Amino acid sequence: MLLLLAFGLTLVYMGIADRVRRLIDMLILQGVLLFGMAIVQLHHIEVLNLVFILLETLVVKAVVLPLFLLRVKKKNEISRVSTTAVSGFSKGLWMAVIIAFSFTAGHLLHESSDAIQAKYFSVGIAAILTGIMLIVKHDKVLTHLMGYLVLENGIFLLTLAVGGEMPIIVNGAILLDIVLAVLVLGLIINRLSTNFGGTALSHLSELKD
Amino acid sequence: MIALYLFIALCCSALAFGVKQRWASVLAVLAFLSTQLGLNYYAWEHLNQNDSIYFSFDALGFIFTSVLSIISLPVFYNSYRMLEHQTGEWPDKRKASLYTAALIVLVAVLTSVYFADNYGILWVLIEVSTIALAALIYFYRTKLALEATWKYIFLSSIGISLVLISLLFLNVAMHRDSGASLHISAVLQNAKNLDPLWLKVAFALMVTGLSTKMGVFPFHTVGIDATMVAPHPVNVLMSTALKNAGFVAVFRLYQAVMQTSIADWASHVLLLVGLISIALAATQTQRTQNLNRMLGYSGLEHVGLALVALSLGPIGFYAAVFHLVLHSFAKAGLFLQMGQVNQIYDHHFPEKNAAYFHSNPIGSLVVLLGYIGIMALPPSGLFSTELMIFSQLAAQKQWWVLVLVLFLMTIVLLTLGRQVMNMLYGIKAQIKTDVAVVKVDALEIIAQVTILGLMIYIGFNPPIFLVDLLNQACVR
């Protein structure tokens, strides 16, 4: 429960933060928290699968990807999450709506089916929506990438919520998906910076009718 | 068998990528194509049999694999020609070898998607197709290619994440927590016991997530942007085999959903997505001058129509699958011809390509035939499938849908027709006479005409075995 609460707080902080560095710090913390939740929730599953998931959370989500994002941030000198200032009140309001919606949805769905754990489900949905909000509300592609990672963390929480044990091949593919997407998109951000002179979304509007 | 097929494909891909010589790429492609055709034959011989616990050689998979195998032959040949033309004496070995390797992987994973009998495996394969396609879209290494690649990977990743969430919910809907419940045949068998609420959410997320692959609303733009910058053989696969793969994944879940209490709801979802897609195609073709984008919007229209057909229930399934088969041939012929347009003019803007008849008379005839094909004007095979869909809409008394679809499709027909005619007989003909009459590759033309001819022939005179297969595919 404490781990979930802490995870929820990281989401709120990410939703209102202005600095990229803070978002990366929160991603590291989320990776560690997911590691803890995986130990608590998944101790009954196959050992190989469990070890794989623990490595995924602790090594990849909490260390490898944040370090890579830090490198991309430094190389491209990106410090703020958006080129234009977004009001703190507006962001806070969005986060309040997301949390209220997630907990209501989790509660309602739990009433209709006891196959899910409402708390994990609610925080998972909140993480997915926060990820989408980071993508929609900000105009820097690095922030979009971090929004995608938050969304993936939300999916991880959903797997815990439904108690589903994916086959190891699917878990492997999920990990491959995240790592490749982040690495490839990170490299593309570097190229964007070189070719377009910036990493704002406005630079990516040449392809149109 | 499919595991062996994937292993061989991986070896061929590694050979092309690792050795980085022309002979290695040619050898890898020849070996892979032999394997592809071999698998096609094997699937025919073992129809309706399982292949390990993850794959099954069913009629639907066989039909779309056969389409892909047929299209793959000219795609690889055109790729070879393009790489020679693009890189002269094959000097940029790294670029060419990466392209060949990624193309082999793409064809292999799409084939496996068609035969997948497990949603988890299907998800994994679709994920791999995104990575292979990203490498192919970025082939020209231009700013536009970079932008398209970013958009493609990012939005596809979001789409794939939605599909993953849908699988989690499908698991809940099955009232089971074992990975085995992700088997497509198990979902079909237990369809009546599925929890309607969770199934609804799973289906909606599956359709939304896979719209990046099917090229329909809401994530249709990602494929259309990529079509603008990707090499033409890649466009062939993106606008045919990839769309078919997304369709197969949605169709398999829809077949299960049709046995539940939410069948009507799901039909309405598909009808809505289909209609919005056709409407977007009608409005967006008006705005663009780029022929590749127009063909991309035409794909949006056709897959949208296939979804409308699906919404009509089992009777529309036949028309939907057949429509996509014929659309694949028509679109493949046209996009292959776009390679020659590109070779002559180096861009895809119809007005600037005026007097194409002067530069490439045979190629112009192919464009004309392709246009007639995708617009479903007789003798196009698509005419027969569209007739099936329209008569079914009339039979079910869905008059407003029928009128709306006909109206929107007429807009696409006129808009695309105007641009194609501009390109062939354009008023800038005098200005463009400086463009030399080029000698085109006879094999390329033969392949394009054969594919378009196939679309006409099987549209109006479908072989009995194909009709049987289509019927089997619809009643799984």
Side-chain angles (χ1 to χ4, degrees):
Chain A
M1 185 61 193
L2 270 178
L3 294 172
L4 259 182
L5 191 66
F7 192 93
L9 288 175
T10 63
L11 291 179
V12 176
Y13 190 73
M14 288 185 100
I16 56 174
D18 265 338
R19 298 259 165 199
V20 172
R21 178 65 215 227
R22 297 286 87 80
L23 290 191
I24 296 176
D25 289 344
M26 288 302 109
L27 280 174
I28 295 172
L29 189 54
Q30 285 189 355
V32 175
L33 292 169
L34 289 177
F35 171 74
M37 286 184 249
I39 289 179
V40 174
Q41 287 286 313
L42 298 175
H43 57 271
H44 60 281
I45 67 171
E46 213 177 290
V47 178
L48 187 64
N49 223 343
L50 180 63
V51 170
F52 189 85
I53 290 170
L54 295 180
L55 278 176
E56 175 189 345
T57 48
L58 197 61
V59 178
V60 178
K61 285 182 190 271
V63 180
V64 177
L65 295 181
L67 280 180
F68 178 72
L69 290 175
L70 268 178
R71 267 189 67 181
V72 174
K73 173 196 168 298
K74 273 186 191 157
K75 187 171 180 189
N76 299 292
E77 295 169 353
I78 306 167
S79 57
R80 293 193 171 270
V81 292
S82 204
T83 50
T84 51
V86 183
S87 115
F89 175 74
S90 149
K91 289 197 276 192
L93 196 66
W94 270 106
M95 283 313 298
V97 170
I98 284 173
I99 287 168
F101 172 81
S102 308
F103 277 85
T104 313
H107 179 69
L108 290 175
L109 288 170
H110 181 59
E111 276 186 350
S112 69
S113 164
D114 55 2
I116 61 160
Q117 296 191 48
K119 293 184 194 91
Y120 281 93
F121 188 87
S122 303
V123 180
I125 294 287
I128 290 170
L129 294 177
T130 307
I132 292 172
M133 192 199 81
L134 286 173
I135 293 166
V136 174
K137 294 281 283 181
H138 299 99
D139 65 352
K140 284 201 175 162
V141 287
L142 183 61
T143 316
H144 289 191
L145 193 49
M146 289 188 281
Y148 169 69
L149 282 174
V150 177
L151 188 147
E152 288 288 344
N153 287 344
I155 294 177
F156 185 87
L157 280 176
L158 283 190
T159 59
L160 296 181
V162 301
E165 180 188 338
M166 290 284 184
I168 194 158
I169 191 165
V170 178
N171 274 329
I174 294 170
L175 184 60
L176 183 76
D177 171 32
I178 299 168
V179 172
L180 275 179
V182 173
L183 293 184
V184 172
L185 291 173
L187 292 174
I188 291 181
I189 290 175
N190 291 341
R191 296 227 170 198
L192 285 175
S193 190
T194 316
N195 286 328
F196 293 90
T199 60
L201 203 62
S202 54
H203 292 115
L204 297 175
S205 54
E206 295 279 313
L207 280 172
K208 54 191 169 193
D209 290 321
Chain B
M1 187 62 181
I2 296 202
L4 179 66
Y5 162 77
L6 283 172
F7 176 72
I8 293 173
L10 213 57
C11 290
C12 294
S13 179
L15 173 67
F17 185 69
V19 178
K20 293 186 176 42
Q21 295 290 334
R22 189 205 308 236
W23 66 264
S25 289
V26 172
L27 184 66
V29 167
L30 289 177
F32 173 68
L33 284 177
S34 312
T35 313
Q36 177 74 19
L37 295 175
L39 178 79
N40 224 131
Y41 178 73
Y42 184 88
W44 172 249
E45 287 290 314
H46 296 81
L47 210 56
N48 297 321
Q49 289 179 25
N50 287 335
D51 182 71
S52 78
I53 53 165
Y54 293 124
F55 298 97
S56 163
F57 293 124
D58 69 339
L60 185 68
F62 178 77
I63 291 169
F64 283 121
T65 300
S66 304
V67 172
L68 177 54
S69 299
I70 292 169
I71 289 173
S72 293
L73 300 173
V75 161
F76 277 104
Y77 180 70
N78 274 254
S79 295
Y80 177 78
R81 295 277 302 164
M82 181 200 74
L83 289 172
E84 273 199 323
H85 177 71
Q86 173 76 18
T87 57
E89 290 295 315
W90 205 280
D92 196 343
K93 291 170 182 165
R94 194 160 162 258
K95 202 168 154 185
S97 59
L98 177 64
Y99 175 90
T100 311
L103 200 61
I104 290 173
V105 170
L106 180 64
V107 174
V109 293
L110 290 178
T111 302
S112 310
V113 165
Y114 299 145
F115 288 127
D117 190 31
N118 181 292
Y119 285 112
I121 295 297
L122 192 143
W123 182 86
V124 172
L125 292 165
I126 285 181
E127 164 60 24
V128 179
S129 77
T130 304
I131 297 162
L133 259 171
L136 293 168
I137 294 167
Y138 191 49
F139 175 75
Y140 288 118
R141 309 286 193 272
T142 59
K143 274 184 171 185
L144 285 180
L146 189 62
E147 184 182 334
T149 309
W150 164 270
K151 288 178 177 172
Y152 191 81
I153 300 179
F154 191 74
L155 287 177
S156 290
S157 296
I158 301 278
I160 287 166
S161 301
L162 294 180
V163 177
L164 185 61
I165 300 172
S166 106
L167 297 187
L168 290 174
F169 291 166
L170 188 61
N171 218 9
V172 180
M174 290 281 286
H175 305 290
R176 291 166 66 175
D177 62 357
S178 153
S181 64
L182 289 172
H183 283 294
I184 292 171
S185 42
V187 174
L188 265 171
Q189 278 164 13
N190 297 310
K192 288 191 173 68
N193 303 321
L194 295 175
D195 184 312
L197 176 67
W198 290 102
L199 188 59
K200 264 187 188 179
V201 184
F203 183 73
L205 286 172
M206 177 83 84
V207 173
T208 311
L210 284 175
S211 66
T212 53
K213 303 296 168 195
M214 282 193 291
V216 291
F217 175 81
F219 286 131
H220 59 282
T221 51
V222 58
I224 290 169
D225 282 346
T227 304
M228 202 169 157
V229 294
H232 67 279
V234 178
N235 280 339
V236 172
L237 293 179
M238 273 201 297
S239 56
T240 60
L242 185 69
K243 286 183 191 298
N244 296 343
F247 175 85
V248 165
V250 168
F251 184 49
R252 293 201 190 283
L253 184 59
Y254 185 60
Q255 282 181 312
V257 169
M258 284 302 283
Q259 299 174 38
T260 68
S261 57
I262 64 159
D264 282 346
W265 173 86
S267 298
H268 287 126
V269 169
L270 291 185
L271 179 65
L272 193 67
V273 173
L275 284 179
I276 295 175
S277 301
I278 299 171
L280 282 169
T283 50
Q284 296 303 107
T285 41
Q286 309 265 358
R287 296 177 57 186
T288 185
Q289 293 292 311
N290 184 290
L291 205 55
N292 271 1
R293 276 186 93 86
M294 279 187 200
L295 294 181
Y297 286 123
S298 156
L300 176 66
E301 175 207 8
H302 283 287
V303 183
L305 188 65
L307 293 186
V308 170
L310 278 191
S311 75
L312 298 171
I315 207 137
F317 293 179
Y318 181 99
V321 176
F322 199 16
H323 188 77
L324 286 182
V325 168
L326 297 175
H327 167 257
S328 300
F329 288 136
K331 201 51 72 62
L334 254 182
F335 264 124
L336 287 170
Q337 178 52 223
M338 283 303 115
Q340 288 186 350
V341 175
N342 196 28
Q343 193 182 330
I344 295 169
Y345 295 103
D346 232 18
H347 48 65
H348 301 289
F349 294 92
E351 275 189 17
K352 294 176 187 168
N353 293 347
Y356 191 53
F357 246 119
H358 166 77
S359 314
N360 184 6
I362 305 173
S364 299
L365 287 174
V366 174
V367 172
L368 205 55
L369 192 60
Y371 168 71
I372 289 170
I374 58 167
M375 287 299 108
L377 301 169
S380 166
L382 287 164
F383 177 75
S384 64
T385 52
E386 288 195 2
L387 204 61
M388 281 182 219
I389 298 168
F390 297 149
S391 9
Q392 213 29 245
L393 281 170
Q396 296 190 12
K397 297 195 171 21
Q398 298 205 36
W399 301 111
W400 69 271
V401 177
L402 178 60
V403 170
L404 187 61
V405 168
L406 281 172
F407 172 70
L408 293 170
M409 290 179 72
T410 308
I411 294 176
V412 179
L413 184 143
L414 293 175
T415 313
L416 197 56
R418 192 178 67 229
Q419 299 290 10
V420 168
M421 294 308 148
N422 267 347
M423 174 183 159
L424 299 179
Y425 311 100
I427 50 167
K428 294 189 178 174
Q430 296 86 342
I431 303 167
K432 274 290 173 188
T433 44
D434 57 322
V435 176
V437 177
V438 294
K439 193 171 182 295
V440 292
D441 186 294
L443 263 179
E444 281 185 21
I445 291 286
I446 290 169
Q448 291 157 19
V449 172
T450 307
I451 288 176
L452 290 169
L454 204 57
M455 177 265 302
I456 293 171
Y457 178 75
I458 65 171
F460 283 97
N461 189 24
I464 298 200
F465 75 89
L466 180 61
V467 175
D468 285 343
L469 283 170
L470 285 166
N471 282 321
Q472 283 180 47
C474 299
V475 295
R476 183 177 168 172

